[in-house]
Amino acid sequence: MNVFLYAISFLCIAIGCCTILYTNETRNFLRRLFNKIDRRFLSVFEAILGILLLVSATASHHSWFIRLIGLMAIIEGGAIFLMPKNLYDELINWYVNSLSDQTYRLFGTLSLILGTAMLSWVL
């Protein structure tokens, strides 16, 4: 499961860098992605990712934190699945249209920090 944690770490670092450096392109990519993907598929993908994080947490020095992230991903996947469609559409609209560039860069910075920390914690 080290490979999975490495992959997630590098993915978080790459997403963080792209979000910081290419904010408008990232926003447009997310807009197109959320318009194409069915929310049920997104929720199942998020829940599976959370389960894989829970399983692979033992390959980390700080397994409690990886388990926390996995549990949050499972809860988020369930919330997306159970959320009414109009509320989901409003949430996605807020995320891709209303947030400022500084907020996107903040999310990118947090993703970069999280990815770097997870990378350093893998056994």
Side-chain angles (χ1 to χ4, degrees):
M1 292 318 256
N2 290 350
V3 175
F4 178 72
L5 286 179
Y6 279 127
I8 291 294
S9 300
F10 284 125
L11 184 66
C12 284
I13 291 171
I15 289 171
C17 290
C18 287
T19 304
I20 293 169
L21 296 175
Y22 306 108
T23 307
N24 289 328
E25 290 83 357
T26 304
R27 182 188 305 256
N28 292 334
F29 173 77
L30 288 174
R31 184 178 294 124
R32 288 190 312 268
L33 181 73
F34 287 134
N35 285 334
K36 288 182 183 178
I37 291 182
D38 185 24
R39 69 185 180 108
R40 291 173 295 200
F41 175 75
L42 182 65
S43 67
V44 169
F45 176 75
E46 183 115 21
I48 290 171
L49 188 69
I51 291 169
L52 287 173
L53 280 170
L54 285 176
V55 170
S56 65
T58 58
S60 174
H61 287 292
H62 297 280
S63 60
W64 65 271
F65 191 73
I66 305 299
R67 284 189 185 109
L68 178 67
I69 293 172
L71 185 62
M72 287 172 34
I74 293 170
I75 291 170
E76 184 177 357
I80 289 172
F81 187 77
L82 297 174
M83 190 180 296
K85 179 149 177 48
N86 60 348
L87 182 60
Y88 173 78
D89 291 339
E90 287 180 27
L91 181 69
I92 294 302
N93 184 37
W94 168 77
Y95 185 71
V96 296
N97 294 325
S98 299
L99 287 183
S100 67
D101 287 347
Q102 290 83 7
T103 308
Y104 268 95
R105 289 189 183 105
L106 173 68
F107 288 159
T109 304
L110 293 174
S111 177
L112 185 63
I113 291 169
L114 178 68
T116 306
M118 284 176 58
L119 185 64
S120 70
W121 294 338
V122 177
L123 296 175

